[in-house]
């Protein structure tokens, strides 16, 4: 299996911080990772994948769903027995990294990804964000633990 660009276990701290409901069926989760102590805001389709405060989930960011790490073509071809990294996860989104800050000085690094309008902010130690590039296409993979 290929190496993930980012991989950690998160714990949901808040749902819809600032008491703002974005859209019907969309929930913004605020979570913190266990291993790297990263902070995250993530918009999810809560009708498809509901989460509760205190719940833990594994999150991976990868550039391809091919288990051998070969680049993704950008086209989905349905094949009966084709293996995919998505097979091991419950919730998958595809998006583009549109903003990255390197966290120079004492500041934390930030990456911003849009998954078709559902947004993600990942903030923390710059050493955990050094594999990312501006305009990079990414898959977000989640499963509850």
């Amino acid at each position: 299996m290929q190496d993930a660009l980012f991989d950690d276990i998160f714990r949901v701290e808040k749902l819809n911080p600032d008491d703002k409901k974005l859209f019907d069926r969309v929930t913004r989760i605020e979570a913190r990772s266990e291993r790297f102590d990263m902070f995250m805001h993530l918009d999810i389709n809560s009708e498809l994948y509901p989460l509760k405060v205190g719940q833990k989930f594994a999150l991976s960011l990868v550039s391809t769903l091919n288990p051998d790490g070969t680049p993704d073509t950008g086209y989905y071809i349905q094949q009966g027995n084709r293996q995919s990294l998505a097979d091991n996860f419950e919730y998958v989104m595809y998006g583009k990294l549109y903003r990255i800050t390197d966290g120079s000085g004492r500041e934390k690094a930030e990456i911003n990804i849009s998954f078709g309008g559902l947004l993600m902010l990942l903030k923390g130690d710059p050493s955990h964000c050094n594999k990312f590039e501006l305009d990079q296409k990414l898959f977000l993979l989640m499963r509850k633990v």
Side-chain angles (χ1 to χ4, degrees), residues 40-90:
M40 179 177 63
H41 273 166
L42 177 64
D43 299 340
I44 60 169
N45 182 325
S46 51
E47 185 176 74
L48 294 176
Y49 200 68
L51 290 170
K52 298 176 185 169
V53 172
Q55 197 163 23
K56 290 183 180 182
F57 60 92
L59 180 135
S60 291
L61 292 170
V62 296
S63 58
T64 180
L65 292 178
N66 296 324
D68 61 2
T70 55
D72 200 76
T73 63
Y75 296 99
Y76 178 73
I77 301 170
Q78 186 173 0
Q79 295 175 347
N81 58 0
R82 180 178 156 197
Q83 297 291 313
S84 168
L85 293 179
D87 296 340
N88 301 320
F89 292 87
E90 303 162 339

Side-chain angles (χ1 to χ4, degrees), residues 74-140:
Y75 296 99
Y76 178 73
I77 301 170
Q78 186 173 0
Q79 295 175 347
N81 58 0
R82 180 178 156 197
Q83 297 291 313
S84 168
L85 293 179
D87 296 340
N88 301 320
F89 292 87
E90 303 162 339
Y91 187 73
V92 178
M93 292 194 291
Y94 179 70
K96 181 178 179 179
L97 193 151
Y98 67 90
R99 183 173 173 254
I100 187 166
T101 60
D102 62 2
S104 57
R106 290 192 217 177
E107 294 183 32
K108 297 185 184 242
E110 290 185 13
I111 62 169
N112 297 86
I113 305 170
S114 176
F115 301 99
L118 297 178
L119 303 178
M120 175 185 190
L121 162 72
L122 187 62
K123 184 176 184 177
D125 189 307
S127 66
H128 305 301
C129 299
N130 58 9
K131 295 180 181 178
F132 296 101
E133 299 173 7
L134 192 61
D135 294 331
Q136 190 174 21
K137 306 283 192 207
L138 298 166
F139 291 93
L140 176 140

